[in-house]
Each structure stands twice: as C-alpha cells, then as structure tokens.
Amino acid sequence: MNLLNRQQDEIRSKWRVQSSRPTVADGSVDSSGSGGVEVICAGLPRTGTSSMVEGLHELGYGPVYHMAQHFSDGWRSEVLERAFDRDLSDMDYLNVPRSRTRIAIRSFFAGFRATTDTPTCDMLVQLMRAFPDAKVVLTSRKTNEAWWKSFEDTVEVICRPSGWWGNVHYWCVWLNPTLRKQSALSQAIARYWRRRWGEYGPGAHDKHNAWVRSVVPKEKLLEFDLAGGYPVLCDFLGKPVPKDENGNVKSFPHVNDTKSLQRIILLLQVAGLVQWALLFGGVFSAVIYRRWIVGQLMKLGRRLRETVR
C-alpha cells in the first residue's frame, strides 16, 4: 500500500494534480467563480501534453486538467467512462453513474483554467461550447509512426482494449478503486478512437488533427511546435514572455520523458501485484489455519459468556 500511495503522490506532484469536486451538481453555471477554461490543448497524448502543463502554469493558467487528474479523482473517471462509451452524445451535461444527477461541462471543469491530454483533447467540441472564449492549441508529432511509437512504448499498456483479460495493467491495479477506474476510462477512450477513427493505431494521429482543424476557427487555433518556445505561445495567448533573473527568455519545459513514464507505470503495476499477494496470502493463511482460528473464536465466545454470567 505504501508503494502504491507513493506512486500516486508522485503522479499528483509531477502533473500538479488538483483533487476536487464541482460544487454545482445540476449544473447550469460555472461554480469556480472565474471565467473557467481559457486554453484548450487539443493534441493527443504523447505530443508534449505534460510539457504544456508546466508551460501553462508558468503563464498563470493553472490548474491544468490532464489525464493525471484521474490518478487522484476516481469519480471523474467513472463519469467520463460512461460519456465516452456513449460517444460523448450529450453535448452539455455528463451523467453521474449510480445516480440521477447530471453535471454541466462547465461545472465538471470548475476551477481549471486550461486542459491538455486525453480525455479533454477528445472533448474539444464540448469544451468549446462550454467555454466559447477559450483559445485552442494543437500539438502533434512529425509523423504518425513517431506518435504511435511513443504512445505504444508508454501509456498504451493502460488503455489497451483487448478483452476483459487482455489489459494486464487493469488487473494489476484492480484492487485500487481509483487506478482501476482510471484504466477503465483509458480503455473506453481507446474503444472510442476505434469507433471514431476506424482504427486504434498510427492513423488516429492525422485523423484527430484534421478533425481539430475542421472544428476550430482559424483565429482561435495555434498549431504549436514546442521548439518555438514561449515567444510563439505567448504571442497567441496575449501574454508577456517569461524571463529569468538575467532577463533571458526562459526555455520551454521538457518533461515526462519515456523512461520516466515507463518507470511510474511499472511501479504502479508492481505495487498492485503486492496488494494481490497480500490478499491471497491472507486468504491462504485463513484456509490453512481455519481450524485454529475457529477454535480461538469458540474459546473467546465461551469466555465472553462466562464473563456475562
């Protein structure tokens, strides 16, 4: 448990995760007391989305909603898993499982000033309707194959939609409700990609980017190469370019390298397997020593009755 908690804490710290619930459940207004989401990053996972989290925080757009949020908020995973399995058909509201409550998109994202990564990159139309003044930033890889290799080498193991036993990660972390729900959401998104793009593979990259260009007005869209750094992004967002103490333009963040992410995922799986081992160890011990345990319980029962007398 300690290892699993440490890994979840590392994820929360690395991606600046904010754990919260919307205060308006029915939802017609933004409960954050602010203008809500101002920047929507529409690039797929593994296109610099974690670097965008850091860059947007530097520009004052934090907190930023990222998939890492779902390693902390299981309730969000449940809500969005249902939405993706229904092809995001309800444009303005999200249904809460096991209740009759509906949450408005604006309320669901209350408190966040920007979004990046999936699931929000797939919810672009819904977010644009909820936050019509938001600007959209599209990040991408140079080729479909480069994107898929990066995706397949890291987070694909979490979202692999290959049958109820095929996703090993899901079963490794199953005993932890939050991680189980996060993996279930990731699988729902992968199923959604198959239905929407006709494939779960390299071609989804170009198809997604073409869709983004088709739904976002040109004046609100920036196709951003992270190599362009803060000057390009700040010019689009109307923000001053951040500089260090010597007056030099700060370098744009580069975070979440492949090896670091692989390590986090592997440690989550190891921690999950430790939980399984402890569970089966306890069950095995109970079976082996059942007669002794029953005998001790009977002795305690007799002592209790004698005490009552």
Side-chain angles (χ1 to χ4, degrees):
M1 284 296 292
N2 289 336
L3 176 59
L4 195 57
N5 291 336
R6 285 200 300 271
Q7 290 312 304
Q8 287 182 277
D9 288 342
E10 181 178 348
I11 290 170
R12 295 185 187 106
S13 174
K14 188 178 181 69
W15 282 278
R16 302 176 182 242
V17 169
Q18 168 178 290
S19 185
S20 63
R21 280 180 178 268
T23 57
V24 179
D26 61 2
S28 56
V29 298
D30 177 15
S31 60
S32 67
S34 69
V37 172
E38 299 175 59
V39 182
I40 304 167
C41 296
L44 288 169
R46 307 305 298 160
T47 62
T49 58
S50 296
S51 298
M52 287 300 298
V53 171
E54 291 299 314
L56 289 169
H57 268 279
E58 177 69 34
L59 298 179
Y61 287 108
V64 181
Y65 197 103
H66 182 279
M67 173 55 95
Q69 190 71 40
H70 294 270
F71 286 94
S72 179
D73 290 346
W75 72 274
R76 293 184 185 275
S77 298
E78 283 192 289
V79 169
L80 293 185
E81 180 190 357
R82 171 175 290 195
F84 274 90
D85 276 339
R86 296 184 176 184
D87 291 330
L88 303 174
S89 56
D90 193 327
M91 293 294 289
D92 300 307
Y93 289 87
L94 296 168
N95 294 303
V96 180
R98 298 184 300 279
S99 79
R100 297 181 179 179
T101 307
R102 297 199 307 166
I103 299 178
I105 293 286
R106 287 184 66 85
S107 295
F108 187 84
F109 291 102
F112 295 94
R113 296 190 62 195
T115 68
T116 184
D117 201 56
T118 192
T120 54
C121 67
D122 298 292
M123 301 175 67
L124 174 60
V125 171
Q126 289 82 356
L127 286 168
M128 289 173 62
R129 284 170 58 93
F131 305 101
D133 295 328
K135 293 185 176 182
V136 180
V137 178
L138 176 62
T139 53
S140 61
R141 290 272 180 157
K142 293 187 182 301
T143 67
N144 293 345
E145 290 69 27
W147 169 74
W148 182 251
K149 184 180 187 315
S150 179
F151 183 79
E152 196 172 32
D153 287 347
T154 52
V155 294
E156 197 273 334
V157 68
I158 298 178
C159 25
R160 186 172 299 151
S162 52
W164 74 273
W165 176 244
N167 191 306
V168 175
H169 175 87
Y170 176 81
W171 292 106
C172 284
V173 303
W174 190 88
L175 289 176
N176 182 287
T178 301
L179 296 180
R180 181 176 69 243
K181 293 170 184 176
Q182 188 276 336
S183 183
L185 167 62
S186 298
Q187 292 177 68
I189 293 170
R191 292 192 296 269
Y192 173 77
W193 285 1
R194 277 186 170 172
R195 294 191 301 272
R196 182 168 181 81
W197 309 126
E199 66 173 295
Y200 175 65
H205 178 257
D206 268 356
K207 292 175 182 177
H208 173 87
N209 293 342
W211 168 69
V212 171
R213 297 182 189 106
S214 71
V215 298
V216 182
K218 288 185 178 180
E219 66 274 12
K220 284 192 172 185
L221 176 64
L222 170 68
E223 294 199 39
F224 181 50
D225 183 343
L226 272 63
Y230 281 115
V232 175
L233 184 61
C234 291
D235 181 64
F236 176 68
L237 297 177
K239 290 279 188 177
V241 177
K243 298 182 179 180
D244 61 23
E245 60 275 10
N246 297 318
N248 300 316
V249 174
K250 287 186 175 181
S251 299
F252 200 80
H254 176 72
V255 297
N256 191 21
D257 61 283
T258 296
K259 289 185 178 179
S260 173
L261 190 54
Q262 287 174 336
R263 180 185 65 83
I264 290 174
I265 293 172
L266 179 60
L267 286 174
L268 286 175
Q269 294 171 349
V270 170
L273 290 174
V274 169
Q275 281 190 296
W276 278 110
L278 291 173
L279 174 65
F280 281 115
V283 172
F284 179 76
S285 298
V287 171
I288 295 298
Y289 296 105
R290 64 185 183 280
R291 289 185 179 179
W292 181 84
I293 292 171
V294 170
Q296 293 301 309
L297 289 174
M298 291 177 68
K299 287 181 181 179
L300 289 173
R302 285 195 295 269
R303 289 178 185 175
L304 181 59
R305 287 194 297 271
E306 289 172 0
T307 303
V308 171
R309 290 174 186 172

Short mmCIF file of all heavy atoms in Angstrom, two decimals, residues 156-171 183-184 186-191 194 200:
data_model
loop_
_atom_site.label_atom_id
_atom_site.label_comp_id
_atom_site.label_asym_id
_atom_site.label_seq_id
_atom_site.Cartn_x
_atom_site.Cartn_y
_atom_site.Cartn_z
N GLU A 156 0.06 3.18 -23.71
CA GLU A 156 -0.83 2.24 -24.40
C GLU A 156 -1.13 1.01 -23.55
O GLU A 156 -2.21 0.43 -23.64
CB GLU A 156 -0.20 1.82 -25.73
CG GLU A 156 -1.17 1.18 -26.72
CD GLU A 156 -1.31 -0.32 -26.51
OE1 GLU A 156 -0.35 -0.93 -25.98
OE2 GLU A 156 -2.36 -0.89 -26.88
N VAL A 157 -0.20 0.64 -22.68
CA VAL A 157 -0.41 -0.52 -21.82
C VAL A 157 -1.58 -0.31 -20.87
O VAL A 157 -2.23 -1.27 -20.44
CB VAL A 157 0.88 -0.83 -21.02
CG1 VAL A 157 1.17 0.25 -19.99
CG2 VAL A 157 0.77 -2.18 -20.33
N ILE A 158 -1.90 0.95 -20.56
CA ILE A 158 -3.02 1.25 -19.67
C ILE A 158 -4.34 1.19 -20.41
O ILE A 158 -5.36 0.77 -19.86
CB ILE A 158 -2.84 2.65 -19.03
CG1 ILE A 158 -1.57 2.68 -18.18
CG2 ILE A 158 -4.06 3.02 -18.19
CD1 ILE A 158 -1.29 4.03 -17.56
N CYS A 159 -4.35 1.59 -21.69
CA CYS A 159 -5.63 1.69 -22.40
C CYS A 159 -5.88 0.60 -23.41
O CYS A 159 -6.87 0.64 -24.12
CB CYS A 159 -5.75 3.05 -23.09
SG CYS A 159 -4.29 3.91 -23.52
N ARG A 160 -5.05 -0.39 -23.46
CA ARG A 160 -5.18 -1.45 -24.47
C ARG A 160 -6.56 -2.12 -24.40
O ARG A 160 -6.89 -2.78 -23.43
CB ARG A 160 -4.09 -2.49 -24.25
CG ARG A 160 -4.02 -3.57 -25.30
CD ARG A 160 -2.77 -4.41 -25.06
NE ARG A 160 -1.56 -3.59 -25.14
CZ ARG A 160 -0.44 -3.86 -24.47
NH1 ARG A 160 -0.38 -4.90 -23.66
NH2 ARG A 160 0.63 -3.09 -24.62
N PRO A 161 -7.38 -1.97 -25.44
CA PRO A 161 -8.75 -2.51 -25.42
C PRO A 161 -8.80 -3.91 -26.01
O PRO A 161 -9.32 -4.13 -27.11
CB PRO A 161 -9.52 -1.52 -26.30
CG PRO A 161 -8.51 -1.09 -27.31
CD PRO A 161 -7.15 -1.16 -26.64
N SER A 162 -8.26 -4.89 -25.28
CA SER A 162 -8.13 -6.22 -25.88
C SER A 162 -8.82 -7.30 -25.05
O SER A 162 -8.24 -8.32 -24.74
CB SER A 162 -6.65 -6.56 -26.04
OG SER A 162 -5.96 -6.37 -24.81
N GLY A 163 -10.05 -7.04 -24.68
CA GLY A 163 -10.79 -8.06 -23.93
C GLY A 163 -10.63 -7.90 -22.43
O GLY A 163 -9.73 -7.23 -21.94
N TRP A 164 -11.49 -8.58 -21.69
CA TRP A 164 -11.53 -8.36 -20.25
C TRP A 164 -10.28 -8.88 -19.54
O TRP A 164 -9.93 -8.44 -18.47
CB TRP A 164 -12.78 -8.97 -19.64
CG TRP A 164 -12.76 -10.47 -19.54
CD1 TRP A 164 -13.16 -11.36 -20.49
CD2 TRP A 164 -12.35 -11.25 -18.42
NE1 TRP A 164 -13.02 -12.64 -20.05
CE2 TRP A 164 -12.53 -12.61 -18.76
CE3 TRP A 164 -11.84 -10.97 -17.15
CZ2 TRP A 164 -12.22 -13.65 -17.91
CZ3 TRP A 164 -11.54 -12.02 -16.30
CH2 TRP A 164 -11.72 -13.33 -16.68
N TRP A 165 -9.54 -9.82 -20.14
CA TRP A 165 -8.30 -10.28 -19.53
C TRP A 165 -7.09 -9.68 -20.21
O TRP A 165 -5.99 -9.67 -19.66
CB TRP A 165 -8.23 -11.81 -19.59
CG TRP A 165 -6.93 -12.34 -19.06
CD1 TRP A 165 -5.97 -13.03 -19.74
CD2 TRP A 165 -6.41 -12.22 -17.72
NE1 TRP A 165 -4.90 -13.33 -18.93
CE2 TRP A 165 -5.15 -12.84 -17.67
CE3 TRP A 165 -6.90 -11.62 -16.56
CZ2 TRP A 165 -4.38 -12.90 -16.52
CZ3 TRP A 165 -6.12 -11.67 -15.40
CH2 TRP A 165 -4.89 -12.31 -15.39
N GLY A 166 -7.25 -9.11 -21.41
CA GLY A 166 -6.11 -8.67 -22.19
C GLY A 166 -5.35 -7.50 -21.60
O GLY A 166 -4.16 -7.35 -21.84
N ASN A 167 -6.02 -6.62 -20.85
CA ASN A 167 -5.32 -5.47 -20.29
C ASN A 167 -4.71 -5.85 -18.94
O ASN A 167 -5.35 -5.80 -17.90
CB ASN A 167 -6.29 -4.29 -20.13
CG ASN A 167 -5.55 -2.99 -19.82
OD1 ASN A 167 -4.77 -2.92 -18.88
ND2 ASN A 167 -5.80 -1.97 -20.61
N VAL A 168 -3.45 -6.26 -18.98
CA VAL A 168 -2.77 -6.73 -17.77
C VAL A 168 -2.69 -5.64 -16.71
O VAL A 168 -2.85 -5.90 -15.51
CB VAL A 168 -1.36 -7.26 -18.13
CG1 VAL A 168 -0.60 -7.66 -16.87
CG2 VAL A 168 -1.47 -8.44 -19.09
N HIS A 169 -2.43 -4.40 -17.15
CA HIS A 169 -2.33 -3.29 -16.21
C HIS A 169 -3.61 -3.16 -15.38
O HIS A 169 -3.56 -2.96 -14.16
CB HIS A 169 -2.06 -1.98 -16.95
CG HIS A 169 -2.06 -0.77 -16.06
ND1 HIS A 169 -0.94 -0.34 -15.39
CD2 HIS A 169 -3.07 0.09 -15.72
CE1 HIS A 169 -1.25 0.73 -14.67
NE2 HIS A 169 -2.52 1.02 -14.86
N TYR A 170 -4.76 -3.27 -16.05
CA TYR A 170 -6.05 -3.13 -15.37
C TYR A 170 -6.16 -4.12 -14.21
O TYR A 170 -6.58 -3.77 -13.11
CB TYR A 170 -7.18 -3.35 -16.38
CG TYR A 170 -8.57 -3.34 -15.77
CD1 TYR A 170 -9.21 -2.13 -15.51
CD2 TYR A 170 -9.24 -4.52 -15.49
CE1 TYR A 170 -10.48 -2.11 -14.97
CE2 TYR A 170 -10.51 -4.51 -14.94
CZ TYR A 170 -11.13 -3.30 -14.69
OH TYR A 170 -12.40 -3.28 -14.14
N TRP A 171 -5.75 -5.37 -14.46
CA TRP A 171 -5.87 -6.39 -13.42
C TRP A 171 -4.79 -6.25 -12.36
O TRP A 171 -4.99 -6.60 -11.19
CB TRP A 171 -5.88 -7.77 -14.04
CG TRP A 171 -7.15 -7.97 -14.82
CD1 TRP A 171 -7.28 -7.97 -16.17
CD2 TRP A 171 -8.47 -8.10 -14.28
NE1 TRP A 171 -8.62 -8.11 -16.52
CE2 TRP A 171 -9.35 -8.19 -15.37
CE3 TRP A 171 -8.98 -8.15 -12.99
CZ2 TRP A 171 -10.72 -8.34 -15.21
CZ3 TRP A 171 -10.35 -8.29 -12.81
CH2 TRP A 171 -11.20 -8.38 -13.93
N SER A 183 -7.92 3.21 -15.44
CA SER A 183 -7.62 2.29 -16.54
C SER A 183 -8.88 1.99 -17.34
O SER A 183 -8.84 1.89 -18.57
CB SER A 183 -7.01 0.99 -16.00
OG SER A 183 -6.66 0.13 -17.06
N ALA A 184 -10.02 1.86 -16.66
CA ALA A 184 -11.28 1.61 -17.36
C ALA A 184 -11.63 2.78 -18.27
O ALA A 184 -12.11 2.59 -19.40
CB ALA A 184 -12.40 1.36 -16.35
N SER A 186 -9.43 4.82 -19.64
CA SER A 186 -8.47 4.78 -20.74
C SER A 186 -8.89 3.77 -21.80
O SER A 186 -8.78 4.02 -23.01
CB SER A 186 -7.07 4.42 -20.21
OG SER A 186 -6.62 5.40 -19.31
N GLN A 187 -9.42 2.62 -21.37
CA GLN A 187 -9.90 1.62 -22.32
C GLN A 187 -11.14 2.13 -23.07
O GLN A 187 -11.30 1.86 -24.26
CB GLN A 187 -10.22 0.32 -21.57
CG GLN A 187 -8.99 -0.37 -21.01
CD GLN A 187 -9.34 -1.61 -20.22
OE1 GLN A 187 -9.81 -2.59 -20.78
NE2 GLN A 187 -9.13 -1.56 -18.92
N ALA A 188 -12.00 2.86 -22.37
CA ALA A 188 -13.19 3.43 -23.02
C ALA A 188 -12.78 4.42 -24.11
O ALA A 188 -13.39 4.48 -25.18
CB ALA A 188 -14.09 4.10 -21.98
N ILE A 189 -11.74 5.21 -23.83
CA ILE A 189 -11.25 6.17 -24.82
C ILE A 189 -10.68 5.45 -26.03
O ILE A 189 -10.90 5.85 -27.18
CB ILE A 189 -10.20 7.11 -24.19
CG1 ILE A 189 -10.85 8.00 -23.14
CG2 ILE A 189 -9.51 7.96 -25.27
CD1 ILE A 189 -9.87 8.79 -22.30
N ALA A 190 -9.94 4.35 -25.80
CA ALA A 190 -9.39 3.56 -26.91
C ALA A 190 -10.51 2.97 -27.77
O ALA A 190 -10.42 2.96 -29.01
CB ALA A 190 -8.49 2.45 -26.37
N ARG A 191 -11.57 2.49 -27.13
CA ARG A 191 -12.73 1.97 -27.90
C ARG A 191 -13.37 3.09 -28.71
O ARG A 191 -13.79 2.88 -29.86
CB ARG A 191 -13.76 1.35 -26.94
CG ARG A 191 -13.28 0.08 -26.24
CD ARG A 191 -14.43 -0.64 -25.54
NE ARG A 191 -15.00 0.14 -24.46
CZ ARG A 191 -14.61 0.08 -23.19
NH1 ARG A 191 -13.61 -0.73 -22.85
NH2 ARG A 191 -15.19 0.81 -22.26
N ARG A 194 -11.42 3.77 -31.84
CA ARG A 194 -11.69 2.76 -32.87
C ARG A 194 -12.99 3.07 -33.60
O ARG A 194 -13.06 2.95 -34.83
CB ARG A 194 -11.77 1.37 -32.23
CG ARG A 194 -10.42 0.71 -32.02
CD ARG A 194 -10.57 -0.70 -31.51
NE ARG A 194 -9.30 -1.40 -31.53
CZ ARG A 194 -9.10 -2.58 -31.00
NH1 ARG A 194 -10.09 -3.22 -30.41
NH2 ARG A 194 -7.91 -3.15 -31.05
N TYR A 200 -7.30 1.91 -34.08
CA TYR A 200 -6.59 2.23 -32.85
C TYR A 200 -5.12 2.01 -33.16
O TYR A 200 -4.56 0.95 -32.92
CB TYR A 200 -7.08 1.32 -31.72
CG TYR A 200 -6.34 1.46 -30.41
CD1 TYR A 200 -6.40 2.64 -29.68
CD2 TYR A 200 -5.58 0.40 -29.91
CE1 TYR A 200 -5.72 2.77 -28.49
CE2 TYR A 200 -4.90 0.52 -28.71
CZ TYR A 200 -4.97 1.71 -28.00
OH TYR A 200 -4.29 1.84 -26.80
#
